[in-house]
Amino acid sequence: MSRWDDAGRRQGTDKSSLGHGYLRHYETILGSRIVTAVLEIGVDEGRSLLLRSDLWPDADVWGIETRRDAPLLDMRDCAVLFGDATTPETIAELPERAWDLVVDDGSHQFPDQAATMALLAPLLGPRGVYVVEDVPWSDTLASTDTIQNILAAMAVHGLRPLAVAFSALRQHAAIIGERLS
């Protein structure tokens, strides 16, 4: 078991090998990078934020959650902003900085993912990584279209696709891109 998967299991996140299994892909791409600023859309209880705080203890870790009544765990060194990540008003409340990692684990609906990407991709730092999680996939054409739509949106916003990580748990994928400049 890798250090990342061990941390994911400890925090109880569905990104570990006990769930989707995305962490092995993230570790391959992010393992040697210096990460100082992380933003996750869709906080829920905050397990993924705590995972990222464990992996990068000196990083500024933020999350955006739509539900003000979300059952948050003790967020320690993480900050949670309540609002809608598809709106410029919410994004304007974030600290002004270049983000090294942005993870969209919000609504899992393409229109929201595209709107969020349009607002947040420009805020990535050089070689910043943008992840869209839990994109539905199966053998259907509609599912393939969704993945193609995410990849096309990444290209529009200056992101180079790095990987499409298929979930071990159910029919979902994480699409990982990197800022070109």
Side-chain angles (χ1 to χ4, degrees):
M1 183 177 350
S2 75
R3 179 177 78 88
W4 284 47
D5 193 57
D6 184 50
R9 286 170 171 243
R10 194 171 49 255
Q11 292 301 342
T13 176
D14 66 353
K15 294 163 184 30
S16 76
S17 60
L18 295 177
H20 293 294
Y22 294 148
L23 289 179
R24 63 188 168 99
H25 302 285
Y26 299 168
E27 184 172 16
T28 299
I29 292 168
L30 294 162
S32 63
R33 294 182 188 224
I34 296 171
V35 175
T36 61
V38 178
L39 174 61
E40 179 150 2
I41 310 308
V43 172
D44 195 30
E45 293 179 321
R47 294 180 187 281
S48 292
L49 292 182
L50 295 173
L51 163 69
R52 295 177 204 304
S53 185
D54 279 356
L55 293 174
W56 301 293
D58 297 325
D60 193 11
V61 179
W62 279 73
I64 299 177
E65 175 58 51
T66 57
R67 297 175 303 132
R68 292 193 179 279
D69 63 345
L72 293 176
L73 300 169
D74 176 10
M75 289 290 93
R76 297 190 311 252
D77 298 321
C78 305
V80 177
L81 172 64
F82 292 97
D84 181 350
T86 67
T87 66
E89 295 80 17
T90 297
I91 302 308
E93 293 183 47
L94 290 169
E96 288 188 35
R97 63 168 313 126
W99 298 94
D100 300 307
L101 174 62
V102 173
V103 178
D104 184 343
D105 191 15
S107 75
H108 308 152
Q109 302 298 314
F110 176 71
D112 292 341
Q113 294 163 332
T116 301
M117 188 184 301
L119 292 169
L120 293 176
L123 303 180
L124 285 171
R127 295 196 62 226
V129 173
Y130 197 99
V131 179
V132 180
E133 286 190 343
D134 298 334
V135 176
W137 72 272
S138 67
D139 294 335
T140 68
L141 182 59
S143 177
T144 302
D145 285 349
T146 302
I147 291 174
Q148 291 301 321
N149 287 339
I150 295 289
L151 292 170
M154 284 186 165
V156 165
H157 298 294
L159 302 173
R160 174 178 64 102
L162 296 176
V164 176
F166 293 99
S167 170
L169 182 63
R170 56 181 186 257
Q171 294 181 327
H172 286 94
I175 302 174
I176 307 165
E178 175 183 56
R179 185 170 181 171
L180 292 172
S181 57

